[in-house]
Amino acid sequence: MPKPFKEWKVLPHGRLTPVDDNILTVTGDIPMPVGNMKRRMTVVRLRDQRLVIFSAIALDDEQMRAIEAFGQPAFLIVPNDHHRLDAKPWKDRYPSLQVIAPLGALNSVEKAVHIDATRGDFGDPDVKLITVPGTRDREAALQVHGPNGTTLVLNDVVGNVRDATGFAGWALRMMGFAGDEPHIPWPVKLAMVGDKAALAAQLRRWAEQPALKRILVSHGSAIADDPQGALRKLATSLG
């Protein structure tokens, strides 16, 4: 994993895409020893037009202007200590950002950027920040209720990389980050999951939401085809 950037550094990325009325998402490349890996940033607009940035990516000027037209960046969620790459440049660009990271990732993230809080209250009942149970307090998630259904924004605890090809694809599969279906990568299980039962219970609670429409993950495609079923299968995989 590259060291956290100190200045705004734009790596190859796509264009912001709306997934619901108040949610934008974009994917970009992150350099890895075995080749580039895709990562995702999600932007959620609150009722008062402030924005929650989940797993920040430095974008080019055109796409940053699109974000600013969408709303005012107000909260920056660093969802775990592996997703701090662009945190400091974002904070430098928007000094009023409140930076939030889960308690278990605090010490590592603080080496890149100052953390203002380990919990977040956005003043919007439709958007909830969650420290994912069973992850040693190291993983954050967002739950966003909208007029068209609920979007669950997860980070590393679920991967859904399907299109990995070539040597890089083979390596990602061997390392547990790519597969043929949504899965909990085995390195994440080893390093982050301290209580499988607690995590499985949370996955099942999310699966019980009939309005759940999609799951956005930091690495891989959105899960929009029976997200409830995918969550139940993930819970079962934990034993």
Side-chain angles (χ1 to χ4, degrees), residues 161-224:
V161 178
R162 305 285 193 94
D163 56 357
T165 59
F167 174 75
W170 173 84
L172 288 172
R173 286 176 181 271
M174 292 300 98
M175 292 189 297
F177 291 105
D180 297 325
E181 60 184 359
H183 62 286
I184 302 170
W186 64 260
V188 174
K189 288 183 182 180
L190 290 175
M192 189 181 299
V193 179
D195 188 336
K196 292 182 179 180
L199 176 56
Q202 179 61 60
L203 295 171
R204 291 189 176 99
R205 282 193 292 272
W206 281 325
E208 291 170 359
Q209 300 183 50
L212 181 63
K213 189 169 184 179
R214 68 184 65 84
I215 304 167
L216 301 179
V217 296
S218 285
H219 302 293
S221 303
I223 304 168

Side-chain angles (χ1 to χ4, degrees), residues 11-119:
L11 298 175
H13 62 77
R15 299 182 65 83
L16 290 157
T17 302
V19 296
D20 208 336
D21 290 352
N22 293 306
I23 303 175
L24 300 175
T25 191
V26 62
T27 60
D29 290 349
I30 180 171
M32 301 288 285
V34 297
N36 289 338
M37 183 179 184
K38 294 293 184 183
R39 56 174 174 154
R40 179 186 302 278
M41 174 174 71
T42 300
V43 180
V44 177
R45 184 168 56 191
L46 304 172
R47 292 183 180 184
D48 61 7
Q49 306 302 303
R50 293 180 302 161
L51 301 180
V52 179
I53 312 298
F54 187 94
S55 193
I57 298 177
L59 304 179
D60 61 32
D61 289 343
E62 178 189 4
Q63 294 300 286
M64 291 307 299
R65 286 193 295 269
I67 287 177
E68 291 166 357
F70 192 58
Q72 173 61 46
F75 301 96
L76 176 61
I77 310 302
V78 185
N80 72 22
D81 52 2
H82 294 298
H83 284 252
R84 54 184 182 158
L85 192 64
D86 291 300
K88 183 183 186 299
W90 263 81
K91 176 65 174 180
D92 290 345
R93 189 179 183 114
Y94 304 103
S96 64
L97 276 176
Q98 182 180 1
V99 183
I100 304 171
L103 182 61
L106 180 63
N107 290 339
S108 293
V109 177
E110 278 274 0
K111 295 176 182 178
V113 65
H114 173 67
I115 301 303
D116 298 304
T118 57
R119 298 178 181 274

Side-chain angles (χ1 to χ4, degrees), residues 222-239:
I223 304 168
D225 183 12
D226 188 19
Q228 292 90 346
L231 289 168
R232 294 187 186 100
K233 191 170 184 178
L234 289 165
T236 300
S237 74
L238 288 165

